Amino acid sequence: MGSDRSLDEFLGDDEGSPNPDDASDADATDEDEPTPATTIYNPDGGDCEACGATVTRRWRDGDALVCGECKGW
Ligand SMILES: [Zn+2]
């Protein structure tokens, strides 16, 4: 019974995780704050495509990259 065995291995691996360092690892790779995929961080600054302001962090608004002011939360 191959399928039965693989299921057993899967469950055992899931429960027997020796070091659950997933959370701490993800934390360490981020510099200051988490950067969601919807934002672009550019240390040199980039132009907002709506108002032309130069900002380090821009958000995707459709095809454009806009500053936090123009994103309009
Ligand atoms: Zn803007």
Side-chain angles (χ1 to χ4, degrees):
M1 290 227 187
S3 61
D4 202 14
R5 181 184 181 121
S6 62
L7 178 64
D8 197 48
E9 281 178 13
F10 179 78
L11 290 176
D13 190 53
D14 191 52
E15 285 199 30
S17 198
N19 49 340
D21 63 345
D22 263 7
S24 58
D25 204 43
D27 226 54
T29 47
D30 284 325
E31 303 229 310
D32 284 337
E33 50 193 283
T35 308
T38 52
T39 71
I40 304 291
Y41 180 73
N42 187 338
D44 293 328
D47 293 339
C48 167
E49 292 180 30
C51 72
T54 302
V55 293
T56 53
R57 188 179 299 281
R58 290 173 294 169
W59 280 258
R60 286 192 187 281
D61 187 21
D63 289 335
L65 292 171
V66 299
C67 70
E69 297 285 316
C70 296
K71 177 63 179 150
W73 310 100

